[in-house]
PDB file of all heavy atoms in Angstrom:
ATOM      1  N   ALA A 117     186.805  85.390  -3.246  1.00 94.00           N
ATOM      2  CA  ALA A 117     187.501  85.975  -2.084  1.00 94.00           C
ATOM      3  C   ALA A 117     186.853  87.299  -1.670  1.00 94.00           C
ATOM      4  O   ALA A 117     187.450  88.082  -0.925  1.00 94.00           O
ATOM      5  CB  ALA A 117     188.972  86.185  -2.429  1.00 94.00           C
ATOM      6  N   ASN A 118     185.656  87.566  -2.214  1.00 94.00           N
ATOM      7  CA  ASN A 118     184.883  88.783  -1.878  1.00 94.00           C
ATOM      8  C   ASN A 118     185.581  90.075  -2.281  1.00 94.00           C
ATOM      9  O   ASN A 118     185.446  91.099  -1.608  1.00 94.00           O
ATOM     10  CB  ASN A 118     184.534  88.807  -0.388  1.00 94.00           C
ATOM     11  CG  ASN A 118     183.736  87.606  -0.001  1.00 94.00           C
ATOM     12  OD1 ASN A 118     182.696  87.331  -0.598  1.00 94.00           O
ATOM     13  ND2 ASN A 118     184.236  86.851   0.964  1.00 94.00           N
ATOM     14  N   ARG A 119     186.345  90.013  -3.362  1.00 96.00           N
ATOM     15  CA  ARG A 119     186.999  91.230  -3.858  1.00 96.00           C
ATOM     16  C   ARG A 119     186.459  91.547  -5.257  1.00 96.00           C
ATOM     17  O   ARG A 119     186.589  90.722  -6.171  1.00 96.00           O
ATOM     18  CB  ARG A 119     188.523  91.035  -3.942  1.00 96.00           C
ATOM     19  CG  ARG A 119     189.202  90.883  -2.594  1.00 96.00           C
ATOM     20  CD  ARG A 119     190.712  90.895  -2.759  1.00 96.00           C
ATOM     21  NE  ARG A 119     191.171  89.757  -3.532  1.00 96.00           N
ATOM     22  CZ  ARG A 119     191.668  88.643  -3.002  1.00 96.00           C
ATOM     23  NH1 ARG A 119     191.783  88.514  -1.697  1.00 96.00           N
ATOM     24  NH2 ARG A 119     192.075  87.655  -3.764  1.00 96.00           N
ATOM     25  N   PRO A 120     185.842  92.736  -5.437  1.00 97.00           N
ATOM     26  CA  PRO A 120     185.404  93.113  -6.791  1.00 97.00           C
ATOM     27  C   PRO A 120     186.620  93.366  -7.684  1.00 97.00           C
ATOM     28  O   PRO A 120     187.710  93.643  -7.175  1.00 97.00           O
ATOM     29  CB  PRO A 120     184.616  94.400  -6.563  1.00 97.00           C
ATOM     30  CG  PRO A 120     185.052  94.911  -5.233  1.00 97.00           C
ATOM     31  CD  PRO A 120     185.582  93.778  -4.444  1.00 97.00           C
ATOM     32  N   VAL A 121     186.431  93.273  -8.987  1.00 97.00           N
ATOM     33  CA  VAL A 121     187.547  93.455  -9.926  1.00 97.00           C
ATOM     34  C   VAL A 121     187.205  94.559 -10.921  1.00 97.00           C
ATOM     35  O   VAL A 121     186.084  94.596 -11.440  1.00 97.00           O
ATOM     36  CB  VAL A 121     187.797  92.174 -10.765  1.00 97.00           C
ATOM     37  CG1 VAL A 121     189.172  92.209 -11.406  1.00 97.00           C
ATOM     38  CG2 VAL A 121     187.610  90.930  -9.943  1.00 97.00           C
ATOM     39  N   ILE A 122     188.169  95.415 -11.185  1.00 97.00           N
ATOM     40  CA  ILE A 122     187.978  96.448 -12.210  1.00 97.00           C
ATOM     41  C   ILE A 122     188.340  95.820 -13.563  1.00 97.00           C
ATOM     42  O   ILE A 122     189.364  95.148 -13.675  1.00 97.00           O
ATOM     43  CB  ILE A 122     188.880  97.670 -11.932  1.00 97.00           C
ATOM     44  CG1 ILE A 122     188.451  98.337 -10.619  1.00 97.00           C
ATOM     45  CG2 ILE A 122     188.846  98.669 -13.087  1.00 97.00           C
ATOM     46  CD1 ILE A 122     189.400  99.408 -10.126  1.00 97.00           C
ATOM     47  N   ALA A 123     187.482  96.038 -14.567  1.00 97.00           N
ATOM     48  CA  ALA A 123     187.765  95.446 -15.885  1.00 97.00           C
ATOM     49  C   ALA A 123     187.766  96.525 -16.966  1.00 97.00           C
ATOM     50  O   ALA A 123     186.835  97.339 -17.027  1.00 97.00           O
ATOM     51  CB  ALA A 123     186.727  94.381 -16.211  1.00 97.00           C
ATOM     52  N   TRP A 124     188.824  96.514 -17.771  1.00 96.00           N
ATOM     53  CA  TRP A 124     188.877  97.405 -18.952  1.00 96.00           C
ATOM     54  C   TRP A 124     188.312  96.599 -20.109  1.00 96.00           C
ATOM     55  O   TRP A 124     188.939  95.648 -20.577  1.00 96.00           O
ATOM     56  CB  TRP A 124     190.323  97.828 -19.228  1.00 96.00           C
ATOM     57  CG  TRP A 124     190.791  98.960 -18.357  1.00 96.00           C
ATOM     58  CD1 TRP A 124     190.659  99.049 -17.007  1.00 96.00           C
ATOM     59  CD2 TRP A 124     191.460 100.156 -18.787  1.00 96.00           C
ATOM     60  NE1 TRP A 124     191.204 100.237 -16.563  1.00 96.00           N
ATOM     61  CE2 TRP A 124     191.708 100.930 -17.626  1.00 96.00           C
ATOM     62  CE3 TRP A 124     191.880 100.647 -20.015  1.00 96.00           C
ATOM     63  CZ2 TRP A 124     192.354 102.161 -17.675  1.00 96.00           C
ATOM     64  CZ3 TRP A 124     192.530 101.868 -20.069  1.00 96.00           C
ATOM     65  CH2 TRP A 124     192.750 102.625 -18.909  1.00 96.00           C
ATOM     66  N   ILE A 125     187.130  96.993 -20.559  1.00 95.00           N
ATOM     67  CA  ILE A 125     186.469  96.215 -21.616  1.00 95.00           C
ATOM     68  C   ILE A 125     186.350  97.034 -22.905  1.00 95.00           C
ATOM     69  O   ILE A 125     186.261  98.262 -22.869  1.00 95.00           O
ATOM     70  CB  ILE A 125     185.073  95.729 -21.167  1.00 95.00           C
ATOM     71  CG1 ILE A 125     184.179  96.904 -20.758  1.00 95.00           C
ATOM     72  CG2 ILE A 125     185.185  94.723 -20.035  1.00 95.00           C
ATOM     73  CD1 ILE A 125     182.730  96.516 -20.516  1.00 95.00           C
ATOM     74  N   ASN A 126     186.358  96.314 -24.004  1.00 93.00           N
ATOM     75  CA  ASN A 126     186.251  96.957 -25.316  1.00 93.00           C
ATOM     76  C   ASN A 126     184.771  97.216 -25.628  1.00 93.00           C
ATOM     77  O   ASN A 126     183.961  96.301 -25.555  1.00 93.00           O
ATOM     78  CB  ASN A 126     186.863  96.040 -26.379  1.00 93.00           C
ATOM     79  CG  ASN A 126     186.938  96.703 -27.738  1.00 93.00           C
ATOM     80  OD1 ASN A 126     186.683  97.897 -27.869  1.00 93.00           O
ATOM     81  ND2 ASN A 126     187.307  95.925 -28.748  1.00 93.00           N
ATOM     82  N   VAL A 127     184.445  98.457 -25.965  1.00 90.00           N
ATOM     83  CA  VAL A 127     183.038  98.755 -26.275  1.00 90.00           C
ATOM     84  C   VAL A 127     182.728  98.561 -27.759  1.00 90.00           C
ATOM     85  O   VAL A 127     181.587  98.698 -28.183  1.00 90.00           O
ATOM     86  CB  VAL A 127     182.633 100.192 -25.854  1.00 90.00           C
ATOM     87  CG1 VAL A 127     182.597 100.315 -24.348  1.00 90.00           C
ATOM     88  CG2 VAL A 127     183.537 101.247 -26.458  1.00 90.00           C
ATOM     89  N   LEU A 128     183.759  98.248 -28.547  1.00 86.00           N
ATOM     90  CA  LEU A 128     183.542  98.049 -29.985  1.00 86.00           C
ATOM     91  C   LEU A 128     183.471  96.565 -30.312  1.00 86.00           C
ATOM     92  O   LEU A 128     183.942  95.735 -29.540  1.00 86.00           O
ATOM     93  CB  LEU A 128     184.705  98.649 -30.786  1.00 86.00           C
ATOM     94  CG  LEU A 128     184.967 100.138 -30.664  1.00 86.00           C
ATOM     95  CD1 LEU A 128     186.116 100.513 -31.576  1.00 86.00           C
ATOM     96  CD2 LEU A 128     183.726 100.914 -31.047  1.00 86.00           C
ATOM     97  N   ASP A 129     182.939  96.277 -31.465  1.00 79.00           N
ATOM     98  CA  ASP A 129     183.060  94.948 -32.024  1.00 79.00           C
ATOM     99  C   ASP A 129     184.556  94.772 -32.301  1.00 79.00           C
ATOM    100  O   ASP A 129     185.183  95.675 -32.856  1.00 79.00           O
ATOM    101  CB  ASP A 129     182.253  94.907 -33.347  1.00 79.00           C
ATOM    102  CG  ASP A 129     182.237  93.525 -33.943  1.00 79.00           C
ATOM    103  OD1 ASP A 129     183.303  92.886 -33.952  1.00 79.00           O
ATOM    104  OD2 ASP A 129     181.175  93.095 -34.400  1.00 79.00           O
ATOM    105  N   SER A 130     185.142  93.637 -31.897  1.00 72.00           N
ATOM    106  CA  SER A 130     186.599  93.487 -31.983  1.00 72.00           C
ATOM    107  C   SER A 130     187.139  93.713 -33.405  1.00 72.00           C
ATOM    108  O   SER A 130     188.283  94.122 -33.585  1.00 72.00           O
ATOM    109  CB  SER A 130     187.031  92.123 -31.471  1.00 72.00           C
ATOM    110  OG  SER A 130     186.295  91.126 -32.136  1.00 72.00           O
ATOM    111  N   ARG A 131     186.291  93.496 -34.435  1.00 75.00           N
ATOM    112  CA  ARG A 131     186.751  93.719 -35.822  1.00 75.00           C
ATOM    113  C   ARG A 131     186.954  95.203 -36.108  1.00 75.00           C
ATOM    114  O   ARG A 131     187.677  95.591 -37.002  1.00 75.00           O
ATOM    115  CB  ARG A 131     185.740  93.152 -36.820  1.00 75.00           C
ATOM    116  CG  ARG A 131     185.740  91.641 -36.884  1.00 75.00           C
ATOM    117  CD  ARG A 131     184.513  91.152 -37.603  1.00 75.00           C
ATOM    118  NE  ARG A 131     183.293  91.565 -36.904  1.00 75.00           N
ATOM    119  CZ  ARG A 131     182.068  91.182 -37.222  1.00 75.00           C
ATOM    120  NH1 ARG A 131     181.882  90.396 -38.242  1.00 75.00           N
ATOM    121  NH2 ARG A 131     181.022  91.598 -36.539  1.00 75.00           N
ATOM    122  N   ASP A 132     186.290  96.043 -35.310  1.00 77.00           N
ATOM    123  CA  ASP A 132     186.384  97.493 -35.544  1.00 77.00           C
ATOM    124  C   ASP A 132     187.498  98.153 -34.741  1.00 77.00           C
ATOM    125  O   ASP A 132     187.664  99.377 -34.771  1.00 77.00           O
ATOM    126  CB  ASP A 132     185.053  98.177 -35.174  1.00 77.00           C
ATOM    127  CG  ASP A 132     183.923  97.701 -36.074  1.00 77.00           C
ATOM    128  OD1 ASP A 132     184.230  97.287 -37.210  1.00 77.00           O
ATOM    129  OD2 ASP A 132     182.769  97.729 -35.634  1.00 77.00           O
ATOM    130  N   GLY A 133     188.261  97.375 -33.983  1.00 80.00           N
ATOM    131  CA  GLY A 133     189.344  97.939 -33.189  1.00 80.00           C
ATOM    132  C   GLY A 133     189.001  97.920 -31.708  1.00 80.00           C
ATOM    133  O   GLY A 133     188.112  97.185 -31.272  1.00 80.00           O
ATOM    134  N   ILE A 134     189.742  98.743 -30.958  1.00 86.00           N
ATOM    135  CA  ILE A 134     189.574  98.722 -29.500  1.00 86.00           C
ATOM    136  C   ILE A 134     189.361 100.134 -28.973  1.00 86.00           C
ATOM    137  O   ILE A 134     190.084 101.064 -29.341  1.00 86.00           O
ATOM    138  CB  ILE A 134     190.831  98.112 -28.830  1.00 86.00           C
ATOM    139  CG1 ILE A 134     190.946  96.626 -29.177  1.00 86.00           C
ATOM    140  CG2 ILE A 134     190.782  98.297 -27.316  1.00 86.00           C
ATOM    141  CD1 ILE A 134     192.257  96.000 -28.761  1.00 86.00           C
ATOM    142  N   THR A 135     188.360 100.275 -28.135  1.00 90.00           N
ATOM    143  CA  THR A 135     188.149 101.507 -27.381  1.00 90.00           C
ATOM    144  C   THR A 135     187.683 101.101 -25.990  1.00 90.00           C
ATOM    145  O   THR A 135     186.686 100.412 -25.851  1.00 90.00           O
ATOM    146  CB  THR A 135     187.111 102.404 -28.096  1.00 90.00           C
ATOM    147  OG1 THR A 135     187.783 103.070 -29.164  1.00 90.00           O
ATOM    148  CG2 THR A 135     186.557 103.465 -27.179  1.00 90.00           C
ATOM    149  N   TRP A 136     188.453 101.512 -24.989  1.00 95.00           N
ATOM    150  CA  TRP A 136     188.220 100.984 -23.640  1.00 95.00           C
ATOM    151  C   TRP A 136     187.146 101.747 -22.868  1.00 95.00           C
ATOM    152  O   TRP A 136     187.072 102.969 -22.917  1.00 95.00           O
ATOM    153  CB  TRP A 136     189.522 101.027 -22.824  1.00 95.00           C
ATOM    154  CG  TRP A 136     190.625 100.203 -23.398  1.00 95.00           C
ATOM    155  CD1 TRP A 136     191.835 100.650 -23.848  1.00 95.00           C
ATOM    156  CD2 TRP A 136     190.646  98.787 -23.590  1.00 95.00           C
ATOM    157  NE1 TRP A 136     192.602  99.616 -24.303  1.00 95.00           N
ATOM    158  CE2 TRP A 136     191.895  98.451 -24.163  1.00 95.00           C
ATOM    159  CE3 TRP A 136     189.732  97.763 -23.349  1.00 95.00           C
ATOM    160  CZ2 TRP A 136     192.243  97.145 -24.485  1.00 95.00           C
ATOM    161  CZ3 TRP A 136     190.087  96.463 -23.677  1.00 95.00           C
ATOM    162  CH2 TRP A 136     191.334  96.171 -24.237  1.00 95.00           C
TER     163      TRP A 136
END
Side-chain angles (χ1 to χ4, degrees):
Chain A
N118 301 305
R119 293 188 296 261
V121 197
I122 295 171
W124 279 49
I125 57 171
N126 187 9
V127 291
L128 299 182
D129 184 317
S130 53
R131 287 166 299 187
D132 296 334
I134 293 170
T135 281
W136 299 118

